[in-house]
Amino acid sequence: MDNPILRLDGRPLDDKVSQKTIALLALLMMRENKTMRRAELIDILWPDSSEDAGKYNLRFNLWQLRKALGERDDKTLVLGSRADCRINPDYEYVCDIEIVERCRLAEASYSTASGTPGADRINSEDSTASSASTRCAGPYSSASGDLEKSGGDELETVLDMFRRDFLSDYYFRGCSELNDMIVMERYRLENQYLRLMRAYVRRTFEEGNYPKSLAAAEKALEMDPYDEDITYIQLSILLNRGNFSEAGKQYQRFRMKLMADIGVEPSEALKELFRDFTLPDPEHPEPVEFLFTSVSVPQYFWLTDLLRAMYEKDDFRLTDYATQAQLEDFAYMQYRLRHDSTVPTKTAVTTTSATTGRMTKTFAPPIERILDELLTVIDAVCGSGVPVNFSLTPGSEISESLYGITQILAARNGDKFHFKRADAAAGTKDGPMR
């Protein structure tokens, strides 16, 4: 997908046509029969123009497209009559969106075809919307044309077409209907990408290409974290590799999310994978331990070590509890504290690009916001039922800022939060540590 690239025999033609010409071509390609009435095209592309101006604009853009592409064997890509415009079925061309459009999947058929346990309780609405097989055109099709018989490499070729959103940098002022159609097409293609990714996970798993299958499963679960079919494959690969600890953690994370967000237990088939394994009790999960250093000057340096401990903890994923904006603030705070002896404030920091030489100003997030975001994230961890233990390395000092934040967390979360030294059960000047 991405932004459109119009090529003729490998030569780019983007600079020879306007954005409206590209939009005209995209509208025709998006239609199932590749045909649209002229009046409809004018209403979408030039809604504020008069009838005569709209007709002229359409004629001009069609002429611009024909001039750029020329004729091939006395044929043109777009045919026009007095009433409509359509893509010439006899003109040889390749269009990525058309290839993807021909790849129609039915999620309901995935599990029955592959033997993977179904997730129909969760995906029932989506699974009834597609046809039963996939047919891809040209070099992207298998001998039979059925997706279930396509190889992983063929599916990977189609998936590689999804680089960015459809017409990602395009916005047409005054054309609300056109902009809405582009947004809806992006949404439809995003769903198609997810369905293709699911098929790719299954096919590479059946072919024994476990590294690719596992990597694709992680991507698919980022888009749909409730997919039991893909989770089953992910956990099967981890178990077959002997990575029992990671498989158990992933299963418990999936189970807790399923129960918290949807109110259901994993399927019996998924539970069966772990019948012979002893897993932690989700009602009494093992606490997560953060071991870090605290220094007194400057008083906020402990924040860098704590954030690093949270990022690098093997059995803890900060991204499960923090928003993207919070993660960006944390990353910037770490950078400033490591490279500057002063605490970040609202003061702008001037940086110079090594490539462009341009100077830009970036406003550092205030320390108060960072601390508040940290409190929010740790509250979220404790709120999910996982106890949190802060442990200081031997020789660490308790700064006022660190002591204050631990007191707030202890008051908010009770037994779910504990703060202690790693070398002794010593207390602070204001009383025993929790």
Side-chain angles (χ1 to χ4, degrees):
M1 299 329 113
D2 206 343
N3 284 321
I5 301 175
L6 187 64
R7 289 194 179 99
L8 178 65
D9 297 329
R11 292 182 291 106
L13 302 175
D14 306 61
D15 59 341
K16 299 184 182 301
V17 295
S18 67
Q19 286 196 348
K20 282 290 180 75
T21 304
I22 292 292
L24 167 63
L25 188 58
L27 286 171
L28 293 173
M29 288 293 181
M30 286 161 57
R31 285 296 174 96
E32 186 174 356
N33 60 0
K34 303 292 185 287
T35 302
M36 291 184 70
R37 296 189 63 81
R38 283 177 175 262
E40 185 181 7
L41 284 169
I42 292 172
D43 288 342
I44 294 174
L45 293 169
W46 299 280
D48 297 329
S49 298
S50 65
E51 182 178 353
D52 289 341
K55 289 179 179 179
Y56 170 79
N57 288 334
L58 179 58
R59 288 196 303 270
F60 175 79
N61 280 269
L62 289 171
W63 169 81
Q64 191 179 59
L65 184 61
R66 292 186 184 117
K67 180 182 178 183
L69 292 176
E71 293 186 353
R72 187 182 294 274
D73 299 329
D74 298 326
K75 299 182 183 71
T76 60
L77 176 61
V78 179
L79 299 176
S81 66
R82 293 181 63 86
D84 56 40
C85 299
R86 62 190 176 94
I87 300 296
N88 187 350
D90 297 325
Y91 189 94
E92 293 186 7
Y93 66 90
V94 175
C95 177
D96 56 1
I97 197 172
E98 187 177 61
I99 292 169
V100 172
E101 179 61 26
R102 291 175 184 173
C103 294
R104 297 185 180 276
L105 309 178
E107 288 194 34
S109 70
Y110 296 164
S111 54
T112 55
S114 65
T116 308
D120 52 314
R121 296 173 303 129
I122 301 171
N123 298 315
S124 58
E125 179 180 348
D126 203 30
S127 65
T128 59
S130 307
S131 60
S133 65
T134 297
R135 300 189 179 276
C136 301
Y140 309 106
S141 63
S142 60
S144 67
D146 291 337
L147 179 76
E148 286 76 14
K149 297 179 181 179
S150 298
D153 290 342
E154 293 169 326
L155 289 169
E156 188 173 354
T157 301
V158 180
L159 286 169
D160 285 343
M161 296 178 181
F162 293 84
R163 290 177 289 274
R164 286 201 299 166
D165 286 339
F166 174 69
L167 298 182
S168 56
D169 294 335
Y170 277 56
Y171 176 80
F172 297 91
R173 182 176 299 177
C175 301
S176 58
E177 184 177 358
L178 175 59
N179 291 322
D180 289 344
M181 293 174 71
I182 291 173
V183 171
M184 291 303 297
E185 184 67 6
R186 289 172 185 167
Y187 177 74
R188 189 188 67 80
L189 289 170
E190 182 179 327
N191 288 333
Q192 184 73 340
Y193 176 75
L194 178 56
R195 290 192 287 268
L196 283 168
M197 183 64 76
R198 286 169 173 150
Y200 178 70
V201 171
R202 293 180 178 85
R203 176 51 61 197
T204 49
F205 178 70
E206 293 166 0
E207 292 174 349
N209 195 337
Y210 298 141
K212 284 190 174 182
S213 183
L214 191 59
E218 291 176 356
K219 287 184 179 180
L221 289 172
E222 287 178 1
M223 294 181 284
D224 182 4
Y226 309 107
D227 192 318
E228 288 194 338
D229 285 359
I230 301 304
T231 301
Y232 186 96
I233 291 176
Q234 178 195 44
L235 298 180
S236 296
I237 294 174
L238 291 173
L239 291 173
N240 288 335
R241 285 180 163 185
N243 196 343
F244 305 124
S245 176
E246 181 63 22
K249 293 172 186 175
Q250 294 288 356
Y251 174 77
Q252 289 291 24
R253 185 178 290 120
F254 176 78
R255 183 190 178 198
M256 292 179 68
K257 187 170 187 62
L258 208 61
M259 294 173 65
D261 296 351
I262 303 180
V264 297
E265 284 272 1
S267 65
E268 288 302 317
L270 198 58
K271 291 180 180 179
E272 190 65 31
L273 281 175
F274 293 92
R275 294 295 187 201
D276 299 329
F277 296 93
T278 302
L279 296 174
D281 182 358
E283 300 299 326
H284 303 89
E286 289 293 322
V288 57
E289 300 268 357
F290 296 125
L291 181 65
F292 68 104
T293 303
S294 175
V295 293
S296 58
V297 180
Q299 64 169 338
Y300 293 107
F301 263 31
W302 61 268
L303 187 57
T304 298
D305 283 323
L306 175 58
L307 290 173
R308 183 184 297 113
M310 296 177 76
Y311 276 114
E312 297 176 354
K313 187 69 174 174
D314 291 337
D315 57 354
F316 177 80
R317 293 198 305 186
L318 186 57
T319 53
D320 287 347
Y321 304 97
T323 66
Q324 183 61 35
Q326 289 171 337
L327 292 172
E328 291 173 359
D329 278 356
F330 292 160
Y332 189 75
M333 175 62 70
Q334 284 185 285
Y335 174 82
R336 287 297 310 279
L337 286 174
R338 284 199 305 269
H339 294 84
D340 196 337
S341 61
T342 60
V343 176
T345 65
K346 295 182 180 179
T347 306
V349 180
T350 303
T351 57
T352 304
S353 171
T355 54
T356 64
R358 294 179 180 175
M359 298 181 67
T360 58
K361 285 189 175 182
T362 304
F363 285 88
I367 190 67
E368 293 81 6
R369 190 172 88 201
I370 298 294
L371 294 175
D372 185 62
E373 289 175 346
L374 180 63
L375 286 167
T376 302
V377 170
I378 297 173
D379 284 344
V381 179
C382 294
S384 69
V386 179
V388 174
N389 291 342
F390 277 10
S391 297
L392 293 179
T393 57
S396 292
E397 300 178 19
I398 311 296
S399 63
E400 292 294 332
S401 58
L402 173 58
Y403 180 69
I405 201 171
T406 56
Q407 291 298 100
I408 294 173
L409 288 167
R412 285 184 182 180
N413 298 291
D415 292 338
K416 292 296 182 183
F417 178 83
H418 296 273
F419 178 51
K420 59 186 179 180
R421 291 187 188 275
D423 56 340
T428 68
K429 59 183 180 182
D430 294 321
M433 295 187 196
R434 297 200 56 168

